[in-house]
Amino acid sequence: MPKVIYIDANGGEFEADVPVGQNLMEGAVDNMIDGILGECGGVMSCATCHVYVPTEWQDKIPPASEREEDMLDMAVEPQDNSRLSCQIEMTEELDGITVYMPRSQF
């Protein structure tokens, strides 16, 4: 099963198996990883699953939709590499992806 490495704002590293077809937010919530809340359940009505995606992974995921970009505008400390983890669907190609969590999701 593909793995995701979630790194919190303090440098803590958490590895989780995330099945193909599940999104990275669900993977974090299912594995009780602090820092990704997913309060809206993945329907893009909050930004509590905000992550930073390193450059080497960005071309392996589809670009953010306009709606996702609008939600990211409301995220705390957005950056050019900000994404909503609920919009990143796990694939075999993403095995080993690393995402970084912001200091706060509020």
Side-chain angles (χ1 to χ4, degrees):
M1 185 175 312
K3 295 190 183 311
V4 178
I5 300 165
Y6 300 89
I7 299 178
D8 69 21
N10 297 319
E13 190 171 305
F14 309 92
E15 190 174 292
D17 293 328
V18 178
V20 170
Q22 188 176 55
N23 66 55
L24 302 191
M25 180 274 296
E26 292 168 329
V29 171
D30 289 351
N31 286 282
M32 297 180 283
I33 294 173
D34 288 335
I36 295 182
L37 306 175
E39 288 183 345
C40 73
V43 297
M44 280 197 296
S45 64
C46 72
T48 61
C49 67
H50 175 214
V51 294
Y52 305 117
V53 178
T55 305
E56 63 268 21
W57 291 101
Q58 290 176 12
D59 62 349
K60 296 180 182 180
I61 57 176
S65 67
E66 186 175 326
R67 185 170 173 213
E68 181 180 355
E69 288 177 1
D70 288 345
M71 288 307 306
L72 287 167
D73 287 341
M74 294 187 284
V76 176
E77 300 178 352
Q79 299 176 3
D80 290 342
N81 63 338
S82 289
R83 293 297 303 267
L84 297 179
S85 59
C86 69
Q87 297 304 298
I88 302 172
E89 185 176 305
M90 180 52 97
T91 64
E92 290 291 343
E93 185 179 20
L94 293 180
D95 185 24
I97 188 172
T98 299
V99 295
Y100 293 81
M101 296 177 277
R103 292 193 192 285
S104 174
Q105 295 286 13
F106 299 105

